[in-house]
Amino acid sequence: MSGVDEPAVHAIERLAASPRLLVALDFDGTLSPLEDEPMDARMLPAARVAVEALVEAPETVVAFVSGRSLVDLRVIAEHGDDSRVLLAGSHGAEFWIPGEGLVTHGEDEDDVRLRDTLRAHAERATAHLDGVWIEPKTFGFGVHTRRADPADAAEANRLVDAIIAEEAPHWRRRTGHNIVEFAFRHEGKDSAVAELRERVAATAVLFAGDDVTDEDAIASLGPDDLGVRVGQGPSAAAVRVPDIAALAALLSRLAQERTRALG
């Protein structure tokens, strides 16, 4: 199986025969390169081809599972109302389902007011730091430091950590590639995958991701599932690929094998 190593070959062969497969994929760093301007992110052509092939494969459901707000995820994924790809945004606090549209578990007005207050406090506290950007999110905000030097990045995180510790110590804190996220919702990618699995009645799940938050989902997978880590870093994944191109090759092969096995 060209371009796919031996552990992945066996995993693909096993998943190819599963009656109903959910392929759940992180977006940034997994299907799209990480960008200094987050809204510039787009799927690499090979990743897009692989996703489209999986969407067409028999008894296969594709979902993007992201920390992005749903509205932003739809933009970067170039996701139209006629798409057959399911979306889980904000780490699984909001979903987009074909035929239904937006599905959310609701939010409290007090939480929304506090979100807006804390976001404003974070923006003011970090305004003097070059390269630091506060990203609005549906259920909180993110502190981006990709374009900041290490000293300014550390100072931004220290300042915002202090704000949250004083004003919202119950909020969830997550770290990623040059970002720290804060949210009043506590869902994670593990709960997102569990909800998607139940919704589509999947008999097996493949989840692929590249970051710390993706490990919540990978660690939650069962013996019939497969976790794939893209790039370096500690991981519970059974399969590791070096980059997006290698993941695209794996996914394309999976689509071919499922079509062969179930078609």
Side-chain angles (χ1 to χ4, degrees):
M1 201 176 286
S2 177
V4 181
D5 66 16
E6 197 65 24
V9 169
H10 296 307
I12 288 171
E13 290 173 348
R14 175 171 52 81
L15 288 178
S18 187
R20 181 78 166 163
L21 178 65
L22 170 64
V23 179
L25 307 167
D26 172 51
F27 195 87
D28 294 279
T30 300
L31 299 174
S32 165
L34 299 173
E35 299 286 352
D36 288 343
E37 171 48 60
M39 292 308 296
D40 288 344
R42 294 294 186 274
M43 271 189 280
L44 289 184
R48 183 178 298 279
V49 168
V51 166
E52 291 173 351
L54 283 166
V55 168
E56 295 299 329
E59 295 298 327
T60 306
V61 179
V62 179
F64 299 155
V65 180
S66 174
R68 300 262 199 160
S69 297
L70 195 63
V71 63
D72 289 349
L73 179 58
R74 295 198 73 192
V75 171
I76 64 174
E78 301 174 282
H79 185 271
D81 288 344
D82 59 347
S83 177
R84 292 158 60 189
V85 175
L86 285 68
L87 303 179
S90 300
H91 298 280
E94 51 184 350
F95 295 84
W96 190 95
I97 307 297
E100 297 182 41
L102 174 65
V103 176
T104 182
H105 301 308
E107 56 194 60
D108 184 270
E109 290 183 3
D110 290 339
D111 287 329
V112 172
R113 282 193 291 269
L114 180 58
R115 175 202 67 190
D116 294 343
T117 297
L118 294 180
R119 185 187 294 161
H121 289 176
E123 288 172 346
R124 286 197 296 270
T126 59
H128 64 291
L129 298 171
D130 291 337
V132 175
W133 176 57
I134 305 300
E135 178 191 4
K137 289 180 174 284
T138 305
F139 303 103
F141 60 88
V143 183
H144 282 269
T145 55
R146 186 174 181 83
R147 292 177 289 181
D149 65 40
D152 282 349
E155 179 66 0
N157 291 331
R158 185 190 69 80
L159 291 169
V160 179
D161 278 341
I163 290 169
I164 298 299
E166 181 177 350
E167 302 183 50
H170 58 290
W171 276 31
R172 181 166 179 172
R173 182 186 193 272
R174 299 180 178 92
T175 60
H177 292 308
N178 301 298
I179 184 174
V180 178
E181 299 180 50
F182 301 91
F184 61 80
R185 296 292 293 263
H186 286 255
E187 290 91 347
K189 291 186 179 180
D190 50 349
S191 63
V193 169
E195 186 163 339
L196 289 168
R197 183 199 298 269
E198 181 176 1
R199 176 175 285 274
V200 305
T203 54
V205 175
L206 180 150
F207 180 87
D210 74 307
D211 208 346
V212 176
T213 58
D214 298 314
E215 289 300 313
D216 291 341
I218 290 172
S220 74
L221 298 176
D224 294 329
D225 304 327
L226 177 66
V228 181
R229 175 77 178 209
V230 181
Q232 300 302 309
S235 180
V239 170
R240 187 186 295 270
V241 294
D243 51 30
I244 297 170
L247 176 67
L250 185 154
L251 297 177
S252 293
R253 179 61 64 171
L254 176 60
Q256 294 172 15
E257 293 298 320
R258 281 191 67 73
T259 300
R260 182 176 296 117
L262 303 179

